[in-house]
Amino acid sequence: MLDSLSNTLNLPVIWLQIAIVAAWVGVVGLVALGASQNQADAEIVRKIVHVGTGNVILLAWWLQIPAWLGIAASIFFSIVTLVSYRFPLLPGIDSVGRKSLGTFFYAVSIGVLIAIFWQQYPYYAVIGILVMTWGDGLAALIGQRWGTHPYKVGGIQKSWEGSITMCWVSFVISSLLLLNVQGNSWQTWLVSIAIALIATALEAFSRLGIDNLTVPLGSAIVGFWLNSVLGG
């Protein structure tokens, strides 16, 4: 379908792929801008961007974006986010001087997962990014709004409501993707449970936004390793 559209528009496929992804990122940016202008909470704006941009990995998988392009985009946005910690390039997403490298780790994790898995096992990269995107994003929102049962891990305060959300969303995402790839087998369910537990534990121990790196990498690597061992 993409080749046919490319021929119709007389554009190379790669430019069409870039245009579709750029259009999605633009829509996410407009939604976030609209929310910000309507006095939405800053955390809501950040999570709109967090969830919206993370779903680019699904588009990239569907469009069969080449690995080099994903890695190049990751490097570019990693540099932009680092600069934004000093200068207000991304207002509403990162505050100047904010003591977190979460957005930087977010961009880095996408590039690393693409570099490791994209050629042969792209669905592990998708699992890792979506677990971070939806699991971590929803866990933060629910924990902050309805987290009435806090607990501490090494001085880090979390809530049981947020952690349960993280675990459940991670399990749903992992099982849906693995069901699509390897079918309804005991390995699919066992690996999905393991990914959910590991992702939840990594998110609970996070400091300074490091979970945006450890959660996606941990989820993808654990899923790949367990399926290799179990023959999934």
Side-chain angles (χ1 to χ4, degrees), residues 1-13 16:
M1 184 181 74
L2 203 61
D3 289 334
S4 175
L5 184 58
S6 174
N7 292 331
T8 301
L9 297 175
N10 196 28
L11 282 173
V13 172
L16 189 56

Side-chain angles (χ1 to χ4, degrees), residues 83-102:
V83 174
S84 76
Y85 288 112
R86 185 63 183 265
F87 305 101
L89 299 181
L90 302 171
I93 301 175
D94 292 307
S95 301
V96 178
R98 188 171 176 233
K99 294 182 179 180
S100 171
L101 290 173

Side-chain angles (χ1 to χ4, degrees), residues 43-149:
E43 188 63 24
I44 296 292
V45 175
R46 277 194 289 270
K47 292 311 176 185
I48 288 173
V49 176
H50 180 91
V51 173
T53 55
N55 286 313
V56 164
I57 198 71
L58 281 172
L59 264 182
W61 190 21
W62 175 61
L63 295 171
Q64 297 183 329
I65 294 283
W68 69 264
L69 182 58
I71 294 169
S74 170
I75 293 171
F76 172 76
F77 284 109
S78 297
I79 293 171
V80 169
T81 56
L82 278 181
V83 174
S84 76
Y85 288 112
R86 185 63 183 265
F87 305 101
L89 299 181
L90 302 171
I93 301 175
D94 292 307
S95 301
V96 178
R98 188 171 176 233
K99 294 182 179 180
S100 171
L101 290 173
T103 311
F104 169 70
F105 290 136
Y106 191 121
V108 169
S109 67
I110 293 175
V112 172
L113 286 176
I114 288 175
I116 295 173
F117 294 111
W118 206 245
Q119 295 297 333
Q120 291 183 288
Y121 309 102
Y123 48 93
Y124 288 115
V126 177
I127 287 173
I129 297 303
L130 290 187
V131 164
M132 172 186 66
T133 296
W134 286 99
D136 183 57
L138 291 177
L141 287 177
I142 288 176
Q144 288 167 13
R145 283 181 173 267
W146 295 287
T148 57
H149 297 85

Side-chain angles (χ1 to χ4, degrees), residues 199-223:
T200 303
L202 290 171
E203 194 274 337
F205 281 95
S206 67
R207 285 183 184 274
L208 302 178
I210 192 66
D211 54 323
N212 281 351
L213 185 64
T214 58
V215 168
L217 291 182
S219 300
I221 291 170
V222 165

